[in-house]
Amino acid sequence: MFKLTSLNLNGIRSATSKGLEAWLAKERPDCICVQEVKAQAPDVAGKFESLAGLKGHFHFAQKKGYSGVAVYTRHEPSDVVVGFGDAEFDDEGRYVELRFDTPAVKRSILSIYFPSGSSGEDRQQAKFRFLDRIYPHLMALKAQRDFVVCSDVNIAHKEADLKNWKSNQKNSGFLPEERAWMTKFLSEGGMVDVYRQLYPDTTDACYTWWSNRGQAYAKNVGWRLDYHLATPAIAGQARSVSIYKDEKFSDHAPVTVAYEHLV
């Protein structure tokens, strides 16, 4: 089995101070994709290049203490792609792709951090631009290789994916346009939401993010924002999925999928 985890760290320094590395050493995933590293290369040097024996590959934001993604892996990639060729969003450190190619197969693991639009209209418009630009990139990639995207997508796709869906229909993360993008990505785009493939009907158990306000975590008033989105060949290898909530490394929970074969 190949264990692949996705986690929004809400800051690598913060998450590691809360026991992330000990958990990784115990769980022993083959690979963990992280988002919101909130650090730059000098902050990582000598401290976070590897975690629990997993080697990190990073895409840092230009702005200090902002965004940033990484993939930590036990297996040496055949290639690492940093950024997806879009100046606006590559400056924000949102995309890293590890390729594990052999003469027989081409496979990639991607860590992508989709923008949040919750801070205001400017960022919501940036989020829409990102959705418009990442879609054709991933479709072009799909024509060439199989891959799995591990991501804080910052979108709850359906009503089952958040507690208070009725009151959030005009809020970023559950807007009709955002949800329509997810539907298109999974239908026309031919991608698979791996969690929903294995657990089509869960509600309360599916959440991966909780607001820091109003005892949301204690009351499990959550959202499912963190996904494994895979091409059908990789999704077909998924055997189990778990969302770890016994410890809190950030405001998100790690989502781990065991794949029969990935790398």
Side-chain angles (χ1 to χ4, degrees), residues 66-82:
Y66 179 74
S67 188
V69 293
V71 179
Y72 286 88
T73 176
R74 233 174 262 298
H75 305 266
E76 193 63 32
S78 56
D79 197 13
V80 179
V81 180
V82 175

Side-chain angles (χ1 to χ4, degrees), residues 131-177:
L131 295 176
D132 286 346
R133 295 171 192 174
I134 198 70
Y135 186 95
H137 171 78
L138 292 175
M139 290 300 101
L141 195 68
K142 184 171 178 276
Q144 301 165 0
R145 60 181 49 246
D146 284 307
F147 62 87
V148 55
V149 172
C150 290
S151 178
D152 172 5
V153 179
N154 267 310
I155 299 169
H157 183 204
K158 297 192 172 176
E159 292 168 6
D161 294 322
L162 71 167
K163 187 73 166 184
N164 294 329
W165 67 268
K166 284 185 181 175
S167 58
N168 277 295
Q169 292 176 85
K170 294 183 179 178
N171 290 336
S172 182
F174 198 60
L175 295 174
E177 302 95 320

Side-chain angles (χ1 to χ4, degrees), residues 2-3 17 45 83 110 140 177 180 187-188 200 228 234 252 256:
F2 185 98
K3 284 170 71 174
S17 76
L110 291 76
E177 302 95 320
S187 54
E188 285 177 41
H228 286 231
I234 288 179
H252 292 252
T256 301

Side-chain angles (χ1 to χ4, degrees), residues 43-231:
D43 307 311
V44 165
K47 294 178 185 171
F48 305 120
E49 287 112 331
S50 63
L51 291 177
L54 305 171
K55 183 185 175 186
H57 303 269
F58 301 86
H59 185 199
F60 300 110
Q62 299 288 320
K63 183 177 166 184
K64 284 192 171 183
Y66 179 74
S67 188
V69 293
V71 179
Y72 286 88
T73 176
R74 233 174 262 298
H75 305 266
E76 193 63 32
S78 56
D79 197 13
V80 179
V81 180
V82 175
F84 68 104
D86 183 278
E88 177 183 3
F89 295 110
D90 285 352
D91 280 355
E92 295 185 355
R94 296 189 176 275
Y95 182 103
V96 63
E97 174 190 348
L98 269 56
R99 295 184 170 178
F100 298 92
D101 292 0
T102 69
V105 291
K106 292 182 175 180
R107 288 200 180 107
S108 293
I109 295 172
L110 291 76
S111 183
I112 304 180
Y113 178 42
F114 283 53
S116 167
S118 58
S119 63
E121 188 56 29
D122 282 359
R123 289 311 297 167
Q124 186 60 48
Q125 290 307 313
K127 186 177 186 178
F128 286 140
R129 287 195 299 277
F130 182 86
L131 295 176
D132 286 346
R133 295 171 192 174
I134 198 70
Y135 186 95
H137 171 78
L138 292 175
M139 290 300 101
L141 195 68
K142 184 171 178 276
Q144 301 165 0
R145 60 181 49 246
D146 284 307
F147 62 87
V148 55
V149 172
C150 290
S151 178
D152 172 5
V153 179
N154 267 310
I155 299 169
H157 183 204
K158 297 192 172 176
E159 292 168 6
D161 294 322
L162 71 167
K163 187 73 166 184
N164 294 329
W165 67 268
K166 284 185 181 175
S167 58
N168 277 295
Q169 292 176 85
K170 294 183 179 178
N171 290 336
S172 182
F174 198 60
L175 295 174
E177 302 95 320
E178 297 169 338
R179 297 172 64 200
W181 185 93
M182 281 291 288
T183 298
K184 180 183 174 186
F185 189 61
L186 297 170
S187 54
E188 285 177 41
M191 297 293 291
V192 179
D193 178 345
V194 175
Y195 180 89
R196 282 298 179 213
Q197 174 183 263
L198 295 169
Y199 290 105
D201 303 317
T202 54
T203 52
D204 292 3
C206 78
Y207 308 143
T208 65
W209 175 81
W210 300 262
S211 167
N212 288 318
R213 298 183 204 144
Q215 289 191 293
Y217 190 74
K219 296 177 180 176
N220 197 30
V221 179
W223 297 55
R224 187 171 76 100
L225 299 180
D226 303 86
Y227 294 76
H228 286 231
L229 300 167
T231 56

Side-chain angles (χ1 to χ4, degrees), residues 10 12 26 28 45 67 76 82 112 158 167 242 260 263:
N10 197 15
I12 193 165
K26 184 179 69 180
R28 291 189 56 78
S67 188
E76 193 63 32
V82 175
I112 304 180
K158 297 192 172 176
S167 58
S242 61
E260 186 78 34
V263 170

